[in-house]
Amino acid sequence: MPASAEPQPLSPIAEPYSRVVLRAALWLAFLAPFFYSTYGFANWLASTRNQVGSIVFSWEHHVPFLAWTIVPYWSINLFYGLSLLLNDSRQGVDRLAGRYLTAQIVAVSCFILFPLTATFVRPATTGLPGFLFAVLGGFDKPFNQAPSLHIALLVIIWDHWRQRLSGPLLTLWHFWCLLIGASVLTTWQHHFIDIPTGALLGFFALWLSPARDELPFSGFRLTADGKARRLSLYYSLGAALALAGASIGAFLSAVALVLLWPSLALAIVAFGYSGAGPKVFQKTADGRVSLASRVLLWPYRLGARVNVWAWTRKLPPVVAVIDGVFLGRFPDAAEAHAFGTVIDLAAELERPRDAPGRWISFPTLDLLPPRADTLDEAVAAIEPARRQGTVLICCALGFQRSATVVALWLVASGRSHTPAQARKHLAASGRPVHLQVGLDEPA
């Protein structure tokens, strides 16, 4: 039916705001003492060590000390509490508090296991900055460094408010958050390495507790599929190797810590194959992915893009099947522009930002047979889409997941009488296909 005639979801009934405030107050009553007790404990534990190392780049000695930036530095404490109140449901409060808690637990664990110290000695300050530095020094010692909990919380709070502001207020918010982020250096409170590690932690907290979508670990059941287990093991080994490279390489150069990023990305993918499923990629029905997924899984997606190029560079990007339906690899924006609708099976790849037209996504994991209900939904989407123009059915390479959907559609629509005929039809297109879910039997 036309898009305008599609039934619209009912708006959820708004909760009384008093319940939201109560839930926020209860969380603050727990989070505040939890923060100061665990943060303080990590500081005390590091102070008992004979020696605590540091990671400092030579250029950091040229970062100026700007006393006034303690004001934006401190302002995050205000936004920490206000953000809990800036919600329209108790679930929203719980999800935000879950992100705070994740950042706190992971950061403090790192402070205990791998303490670092700030090496710069701040000059004496007076006035309001002097007062704020004095208060800060009353509970904060120079040991809780990487990952910067300040930066992790900033990422969480920035994301929370940017989705609720617009126009000049949103621009002002971005600017103020930039000041907060820079202030960890200009107050000589942190070294540079604390910033990217803190940001990675912040995005992990966003991924682990998305604002509205399903939690990545909800409904987790360890897979019984042998191939899925092997793939999970391979990705886990990759994550472990990258983590080992970061840990060992850090003794030679702090730049090696960049390997923490692909290590986390591969660990998330391994978690998906072990039983969490395609939701770990946080891909929506229109092909978009969450900001946290885009950032955290960027190293993996880069590898996936290279893999697509390596396997398909000598093949046409798409081939015609029949009656306006095409089969192909995951398209770029220009390739997608040629079709009225793109039906996409690749959970791991994101729709190009400037891709026009209709885009329908049925996220499935690479190299595994899609779920039967997912296949049924994808097949059912083809005919309505075909009536509105040409249709591209794609996955990463266009060899398995999308080819299976096209073959099932050929049989379901009567264009092929048997799966074997559908397979022959696709083989005649000249594109290598490896059909799944029992469709790859000989003719």
Side-chain angles (χ1 to χ4, degrees):
M1 66 178 69
S4 59
E6 291 180 358
Q8 299 297 315
L10 296 175
S11 300
I13 300 175
E15 291 188 49
Y17 187 61
S18 58
R19 296 182 182 179
V20 176
V21 172
L22 177 59
R23 183 64 63 90
L26 290 173
W27 268 114
L28 276 174
F30 166 75
L31 288 170
F34 180 76
F35 169 81
Y36 286 106
S37 60
T38 58
Y39 197 79
F41 173 75
N43 257 320
W44 170 81
L45 193 63
S47 70
T48 64
R49 297 195 177 197
N50 293 329
Q51 184 176 3
V52 178
S54 61
I55 299 178
V56 189
F57 292 99
S58 59
W59 60 263
E60 292 184 57
H61 294 277
H62 302 289
V63 175
F65 174 74
L66 303 176
W68 65 268
T69 57
I70 189 62
V71 176
Y73 183 92
W74 259 106
S75 70
I76 198 172
N77 295 279
L78 173 64
F79 292 115
Y80 183 99
L82 288 179
S83 297
L84 287 168
L85 296 172
L86 189 65
N87 282 284
D88 54 11
S89 68
R90 286 172 292 178
Q91 176 179 296
V93 176
D94 292 343
R95 292 289 179 92
L96 177 59
R99 288 174 229 142
Y100 286 167
L101 201 56
T102 298
Q104 179 76 14
I105 292 173
V106 174
V108 169
S109 298
C110 292
F111 299 156
I112 293 173
L113 294 173
F114 313 106
L116 295 171
T117 185
T119 61
F120 296 153
V121 179
R122 287 190 295 263
T125 53
T126 58
L128 177 60
F131 169 76
L132 293 177
F133 274 115
V135 175
L136 181 64
F139 70 89
D140 193 19
K141 304 303 178 185
F143 300 113
N144 294 347
Q145 295 294 298
S148 168
L149 183 56
H150 207 86
I151 293 296
L153 293 175
L154 174 61
V155 168
I156 295 167
I157 294 169
W158 164 77
D159 181 72
H160 186 76
W161 285 71
R162 75 177 179 90
Q163 299 182 56
R164 292 161 172 81
L165 299 175
S166 59
L169 284 178
L170 180 59
T171 302
L172 180 61
W173 174 242
H174 290 325
F175 174 73
W176 190 255
C177 286
L178 184 64
L179 282 181
I180 296 175
S183 70
V184 302
L185 292 179
T186 57
T187 56
W188 291 3
Q189 186 69 16
H190 282 274
H191 290 303
F192 175 77
I193 197 64
D194 310 341
I195 295 178
T197 51
L200 192 66
L201 173 56
F203 283 112
F204 175 71
L206 291 177
W207 173 85
L208 193 64
S209 186
R212 295 179 180 84
D213 296 331
E214 191 178 7
L215 296 173
F217 51 83
S218 64
F220 177 87
R221 176 178 293 180
L222 193 63
T223 181
D225 184 273
K227 188 174 185 179
R229 286 184 173 182
R230 287 194 302 274
L231 289 167
S232 178
L233 176 61
Y234 297 153
Y235 283 117
S236 297
L237 289 174
L241 287 173
L243 179 60
S247 303
I248 298 172
F251 288 100
L252 303 175
S253 172
V255 176
L257 291 175
V258 74
L259 291 174
L260 292 173
W261 192 2
S263 176
L264 180 56
L266 292 174
I268 289 173
V269 176
F271 179 61
Y273 278 97
S274 68
K279 64 176 173 286
V280 299
F281 292 99
Q282 298 186 342
K283 189 169 183 177
T284 62
D286 66 352
R288 311 290 185 187
V289 302
S290 69
L291 175 63
S293 172
R294 184 179 304 125
V295 172
L296 290 181
L297 293 168
W298 183 86
Y300 173 77
R301 288 195 174 96
L302 177 62
R305 293 281 185 182
V306 172
N307 186 62
V308 171
W309 173 83
W311 281 95
T312 66
R313 68 187 188 280
K314 295 181 180 180
L315 297 172
V318 301
V319 293
V321 179
I322 193 173
D323 294 341
V325 173
F326 293 76
L327 171 66
R329 71 184 183 201
F330 202 86
D332 58 27
E335 291 166 347
H337 183 71
F339 300 94
T341 303
V342 174
I343 297 179
D344 144 42
L345 279 293
E348 68 273 20
L349 296 175
E350 180 186 9
R351 168 186 182 169
R353 292 190 184 184
D354 50 352
R358 298 175 68 245
W359 193 291
I360 307 172
S361 183
F362 299 96
T364 60
L365 292 177
D366 192 19
L367 300 176
L368 296 182
R371 289 165 46 104
D373 56 348
T374 301
L375 288 173
D376 290 342
E377 292 173 3
V379 169
I382 296 176
E383 282 299 322
R386 196 177 65 81
R387 289 193 287 269
Q388 299 184 44
T390 54
V391 182
L392 170 63
I393 318 295
C394 66
C395 54
L397 306 179
F399 294 172
Q400 294 190 34
R401 291 169 285 181
S402 53
T404 300
V405 168
V406 172
L408 288 171
W409 169 74
L410 288 171
V411 174
S413 65
R415 291 173 171 84
S416 294
H417 297 296
T418 65
Q421 283 188 356
R423 183 177 181 278
K424 281 186 175 181
H425 190 121
L426 293 179
S429 70
R431 190 171 192 83
V433 294
H434 306 280
L435 305 184
Q436 299 169 310
V437 296
L439 282 172
D440 209 9
E441 75 273 18

